[in-house]
Amino acid sequence: MSQHRAAGNRVTPGNAARKPGAGRSSAKHRVARRNTPSSTQIVGLTAALAAAAGAVGFSHSTLASPTQANSAVNLAALSLDNGQLSGITTARIQARQLATRDSSRVQLAANDTNKKQAAAAALAKARAAKLNATQALTAKRASALALAKAKADAAEKKLRESATRCEMMISGYHITATFGQGGNRWARNHTGTDFAAPIGTPIRSVMKGVVIFADWAGPYGRQVQVRHADGTVTWYNHMSKFSVSVGETVYAGDQVGAVGVTGNTTGPHLHFEVHPDGGEAIDPMPWLRNHCGLNP
Ligand SMILES: [Zn+2]
C-alpha cells in the first residue's frame, strides 16, 4: 500500500501549487518544486513500471495512454504487493520457517535420541557394574564359605578323632535298672545300667577306641567291648547284631550294634558296663557324668 501511495504522490504534480499561499517563494516550496518529477520522467517511470506489470500478467499493447499505463502500473504494483509478490514472499517465508522448524525438530529429536541413548548406555553400564560387583561379592562369599566349611570340616574331623569326646550310646531310651541293684535276675548285684529301647535301635561307642571283643558272651548275649585311650573298657550287651569287628577303630558315636534280646534278658535293652583299666565294673552313671559330661 505504501508503494501505491508513493507512486500516486509522484504522478500527481501541482498539488502544492493549488494550496493557499503557493505563489510565495519559500525554501520549502522550492524544494517541493524541485522534487516534483517532469512529465518526461513520469512517462519513463510509467513505462518501466508498465514493463514490470507486463511481466506479471498485463499486456503492453493494451496500454493506450500514459494515464492508462499509470493505472495499470498502480494495479500491477497493488497486484504484486497484495497478490503474487505477497503470496510468493509469504510462501517463501513459510517454507523457510517450516524448513527451519523441521530442522529444529530433527535436531531436537536427534538431541533427544542422543540423550536417551546416553542415558540407556549409562544405565546399562551401571547395571553391568552392579552385576560385576554382585558377582564379585558372590564369589567372595562362596570363597569365604568354602574356607569356613573347610575349617569346620577340619575342626569336626579333629573333634571326631578326639580321644576324649563322648557321644550318648543310645537315644529314645528309658533307664530300667541301675548299677548295684539286687535281684534274682543277676548272680551278683547289677553290674551296669539298663537303657530300654525298641529292638533295632542303634547302639554307639561312647568314645573313640578299638574293638577288642565282638562275640556271643553267655548271659550277655551278643557283646562288643571297646578299649579307650585311657585304658577304660566299655561293654555293650544283649545286642541283636554286630556292626563292628575286633581290631576296628571306632569314634565316639560310631554304631557298634543294635538293641536286641540276646542272653539273659526279659526285654529289649542295652546293658552298658564300664571297666576302668579293663578291671572290675563301676557305676556307669558317675563315669558318664565325670568323663563325658553326659547326664542320662
Ligand atoms: Zn542290665
Side-chain angles (χ1 to χ4, degrees), residues 177 185-186 190-194 238 264 269-273:
R185 276 190 290 159
W186 304 295
H190 195 218
T191 51
T193 305
D194 290 350
H238 308 309
N264 186 12
H269 74 276
L270 162 66
H271 173 89
F272 178 69
E273 291 191 9

Side-chain angles (χ1 to χ4, degrees), residues 87-269:
I88 288 160
T89 307
T90 306
R92 275 184 189 155
I93 289 165
Q94 281 176 348
R96 205 173 299 139
Q97 282 175 343
L98 277 173
T100 307
R101 216 177 295 154
D102 284 351
S103 124
S104 296
R105 260 193 219 117
V106 167
Q107 192 57 47
L108 280 172
N111 287 346
D112 198 35
T113 305
N114 286 344
K115 276 180 190 171
K116 279 177 181 169
Q117 281 173 347
L123 190 64
K125 199 176 171 183
R127 277 179 181 157
K130 199 176 174 184
L131 189 66
N132 282 342
T134 306
Q135 282 171 343
L137 190 65
T138 304
K140 199 177 170 184
R141 277 180 183 157
S143 173
L145 205 66
L147 190 66
K149 194 183 181 302
K151 277 183 181 172
D153 288 351
E156 193 184 335
K157 187 170 184 289
K158 193 178 175 184
L159 184 65
R160 174 173 156 74
E161 291 177 356
S162 162
T164 54
R165 182 175 70 97
C166 292
E167 286 288 332
M168 191 57 197
M169 306 79 68
I170 191 170
S171 61
Y173 62 88
H174 66 275
I175 294 169
T176 52
T178 54
F179 182 83
Q181 221 175 298
N184 53 17
R185 276 190 290 159
W186 304 295
R188 298 176 286 158
N189 285 344
H190 195 218
T191 51
T193 305
D194 290 350
F195 300 89
I199 290 175
T201 301
I203 292 172
R204 306 172 188 283
S205 176
V206 70
M207 284 199 308
K208 179 187 176 183
V210 178
V211 177
I212 58 169
F213 186 90
D215 208 341
W216 191 269
Y220 290 101
R222 286 195 183 90
Q223 182 188 68
V224 163
Q225 295 183 12
V226 178
R227 185 165 58 222
H228 305 290
D230 66 354
T232 302
V233 179
T234 51
W235 294 10
Y236 309 83
N237 307 281
H238 308 309
M239 299 196 298
S240 62
K241 68 166 189 177
F242 297 110
S243 301
V244 289
S245 321
V246 173
E248 198 173 321
T249 295
V250 290
Y251 296 98
D254 283 359
Q255 188 171 356
V256 296
V259 172
V261 286
T262 58
N264 186 12
T265 174
T266 56
H269 74 276

